[in-house]
Amino acid sequence: MKKIILLFSMILTTSFVVAQADVISKHSGENVTGKVVRVDEYTVVFKYDGEDAENSIGKYAIEKIVYGKSGRVEDVTEKIVVSGEADWEKVVILEEKSYIAGLKKVGDVRGKTGLINFQTGNTGDKKAEKKLKMAAAVLGCPFILMTADKTTVGANSNQLGGMQAIKTGLGYKY
């Protein structure tokens, strides 16, 4: 009888400890169980149960956090659905690697203007960015990690058609 009571109390204690864990729900459907250490501007820092090492996930990959102690639910980001080239305006360009933690790399994307064009530098830059986003949208990627953003300047750089904007990046999905 003592063994049964001891076993029952151990099961109850174990379930109570598990109930205290925080659950991070990702847009991909995966759940991460552990302890949220802090929520930064673009990342969530957490520890897995039984470990001391801190890990981080970019907020763009996280749908919500359910805190174990209080049961409070914190919505983090809405899922961005890109189903084709028409959704290019939804694509988000990221400039730091920490923001993509928890996302999956799909492939390289590139956007550029023609070498000889009739646009000013700012207009050419916007056109290259649009082409970059369109290339990511074709792959179904709502995120781009910018890897290069350069402008090639010709001899007549102060006039129309004197520069070419080239942007490259890596496309990421949930």
Side-chain angles (χ1 to χ4, degrees), residues 88 111 125-135 167:
W88 71 268
D125 194 53
K126 287 182 180 180
K127 188 172 183 179
E129 183 176 307
K130 179 180 176 181
K131 287 183 177 183
L132 180 73
K133 287 183 172 187
M134 289 175 98
K167 295 179 181 281

mmCIF file of all heavy atoms in Angstrom, residues 88 111 125-135 167:
data_model
loop_
_atom_site.group_PDB
_atom_site.id
_atom_site.type_symbol
_atom_site.label_atom_id
_atom_site.label_comp_id
_atom_site.label_asym_id
_atom_site.label_seq_id
_atom_site.Cartn_x
_atom_site.Cartn_y
_atom_site.Cartn_z
ATOM 1 N N TRP A 88 3.919 39.208 -53.420
ATOM 2 C CA TRP A 88 5.273 39.722 -53.197
ATOM 3 C C TRP A 88 5.322 40.844 -52.168
ATOM 4 O O TRP A 88 6.319 41.003 -51.473
ATOM 5 C CB TRP A 88 5.913 40.176 -54.507
ATOM 6 C CG TRP A 88 5.320 41.440 -55.091
ATOM 7 C CD1 TRP A 88 4.304 41.524 -55.985
ATOM 8 C CD2 TRP A 88 5.726 42.776 -54.808
ATOM 9 N NE1 TRP A 88 4.023 42.832 -56.278
ATOM 10 C CE2 TRP A 88 4.893 43.621 -55.569
ATOM 11 C CE3 TRP A 88 6.690 43.343 -53.985
ATOM 12 C CZ2 TRP A 88 5.001 45.010 -55.530
ATOM 13 C CZ3 TRP A 88 6.802 44.727 -53.950
ATOM 14 C CH2 TRP A 88 5.964 45.546 -54.714
ATOM 15 N N GLY A 111 17.467 40.223 -57.019
ATOM 16 C CA GLY A 111 16.728 41.260 -57.724
ATOM 17 C C GLY A 111 17.703 42.308 -58.204
ATOM 18 O O GLY A 111 18.596 42.716 -57.469
ATOM 19 N N ASP A 125 16.748 51.340 -56.809
ATOM 20 C CA ASP A 125 16.849 50.550 -55.585
ATOM 21 C C ASP A 125 15.498 49.918 -55.250
ATOM 22 O O ASP A 125 15.424 48.742 -54.885
ATOM 23 C CB ASP A 125 17.339 51.447 -54.440
ATOM 24 C CG ASP A 125 17.791 50.657 -53.238
ATOM 25 O OD1 ASP A 125 18.638 49.752 -53.410
ATOM 26 O OD2 ASP A 125 17.291 50.931 -52.130
ATOM 27 N N LYS A 126 14.434 50.683 -55.380
ATOM 28 C CA LYS A 126 13.091 50.164 -55.098
ATOM 29 C C LYS A 126 12.695 49.088 -56.109
ATOM 30 O O LYS A 126 12.057 48.100 -55.760
ATOM 31 C CB LYS A 126 12.070 51.298 -55.106
ATOM 32 C CG LYS A 126 12.161 52.188 -53.895
ATOM 33 C CD LYS A 126 11.104 53.256 -53.908
ATOM 34 C CE LYS A 126 11.243 54.135 -52.670
ATOM 35 N NZ LYS A 126 10.229 55.197 -52.640
ATOM 36 N N LYS A 127 13.078 49.269 -57.362
ATOM 37 C CA LYS A 127 12.760 48.277 -58.387
ATOM 38 C C LYS A 127 13.515 46.971 -58.124
ATOM 39 O O LYS A 127 12.956 45.880 -58.262
ATOM 40 C CB LYS A 127 13.113 48.816 -59.769
ATOM 41 C CG LYS A 127 12.633 47.942 -60.897
ATOM 42 C CD LYS A 127 12.818 48.605 -62.247
ATOM 43 C CE LYS A 127 12.249 47.730 -63.341
ATOM 44 N NZ LYS A 127 12.381 48.350 -64.654
ATOM 45 N N ALA A 128 14.771 47.063 -57.719
ATOM 46 C CA ALA A 128 15.548 45.865 -57.395
ATOM 47 C C ALA A 128 14.952 45.147 -56.178
ATOM 48 O O ALA A 128 14.886 43.918 -56.134
ATOM 49 C CB ALA A 128 17.008 46.224 -57.136
ATOM 50 N N GLU A 129 14.496 45.917 -55.194
ATOM 51 C CA GLU A 129 13.862 45.326 -54.012
ATOM 52 C C GLU A 129 12.569 44.613 -54.388
ATOM 53 O O GLU A 129 12.283 43.518 -53.897
ATOM 54 C CB GLU A 129 13.581 46.408 -52.971
ATOM 55 C CG GLU A 129 12.992 45.878 -51.690
ATOM 56 C CD GLU A 129 12.817 46.941 -50.629
ATOM 57 O OE1 GLU A 129 13.805 47.636 -50.321
ATOM 58 O OE2 GLU A 129 11.693 47.074 -50.112
ATOM 59 N N LYS A 130 11.776 45.207 -55.265
ATOM 60 C CA LYS A 130 10.541 44.573 -55.724
ATOM 61 C C LYS A 130 10.841 43.256 -56.430
ATOM 62 O O LYS A 130 10.183 42.239 -56.175
ATOM 63 C CB LYS A 130 9.788 45.511 -56.665
ATOM 64 C CG LYS A 130 8.504 44.925 -57.199
ATOM 65 C CD LYS A 130 7.789 45.878 -58.139
ATOM 66 C CE LYS A 130 6.540 45.227 -58.731
ATOM 67 N NZ LYS A 130 5.839 46.123 -59.653
ATOM 68 N N LYS A 131 11.848 43.245 -57.295
ATOM 69 C CA LYS A 131 12.220 42.016 -58.001
ATOM 70 C C LYS A 131 12.711 40.951 -57.026
ATOM 71 O O LYS A 131 12.444 39.760 -57.196
ATOM 72 C CB LYS A 131 13.279 42.308 -59.058
ATOM 73 C CG LYS A 131 12.731 43.036 -60.268
ATOM 74 C CD LYS A 131 13.800 43.231 -61.319
ATOM 75 C CE LYS A 131 13.240 43.883 -62.565
ATOM 76 N NZ LYS A 131 14.254 44.005 -63.614
ATOM 77 N N LEU A 132 13.439 41.368 -55.989
ATOM 78 C CA LEU A 132 13.920 40.447 -54.961
ATOM 79 C C LEU A 132 12.734 39.799 -54.236
ATOM 80 O O LEU A 132 12.684 38.577 -54.052
ATOM 81 C CB LEU A 132 14.822 41.189 -53.969
ATOM 82 C CG LEU A 132 15.418 40.375 -52.828
ATOM 83 C CD1 LEU A 132 16.507 39.460 -53.357
ATOM 84 C CD2 LEU A 132 15.984 41.306 -51.769
ATOM 85 N N LYS A 133 11.766 40.612 -53.829
ATOM 86 C CA LYS A 133 10.586 40.104 -53.137
ATOM 87 C C LYS A 133 9.760 39.191 -54.043
ATOM 88 O O LYS A 133 9.213 38.189 -53.589
ATOM 89 C CB LYS A 133 9.726 41.259 -52.629
ATOM 90 C CG LYS A 133 10.317 41.984 -51.435
ATOM 91 C CD LYS A 133 9.387 43.063 -50.957
ATOM 92 C CE LYS A 133 9.854 43.682 -49.664
ATOM 93 N NZ LYS A 133 8.862 44.628 -49.113
ATOM 94 N N MET A 134 9.672 39.537 -55.316
ATOM 95 C CA MET A 134 8.925 38.707 -56.256
ATOM 96 C C MET A 134 9.585 37.338 -56.425
ATOM 97 O O MET A 134 8.900 36.313 -56.494
ATOM 98 C CB MET A 134 8.791 39.418 -57.604
ATOM 99 C CG MET A 134 7.845 40.598 -57.563
ATOM 100 S SD MET A 134 7.820 41.503 -59.095
ATOM 101 C CE MET A 134 6.364 40.802 -59.840
ATOM 102 N N ALA A 135 10.913 37.319 -56.462
ATOM 103 C CA ALA A 135 11.637 36.052 -56.580
ATOM 104 C C ALA A 135 11.383 35.174 -55.350
ATOM 105 O O ALA A 135 11.217 33.954 -55.467
ATOM 106 C CB ALA A 135 13.130 36.307 -56.760
ATOM 107 N N LYS A 167 20.465 43.299 -55.533
ATOM 108 C CA LYS A 167 20.191 42.824 -54.182
ATOM 109 C C LYS A 167 20.114 41.297 -54.214
ATOM 110 O O LYS A 167 19.455 40.724 -55.082
ATOM 111 C CB LYS A 167 18.859 43.391 -53.668
ATOM 112 C CG LYS A 167 18.862 44.904 -53.510
ATOM 113 C CD LYS A 167 17.523 45.387 -53.033
ATOM 114 C CE LYS A 167 17.501 46.872 -52.896
ATOM 115 N NZ LYS A 167 18.128 47.384 -51.701
#
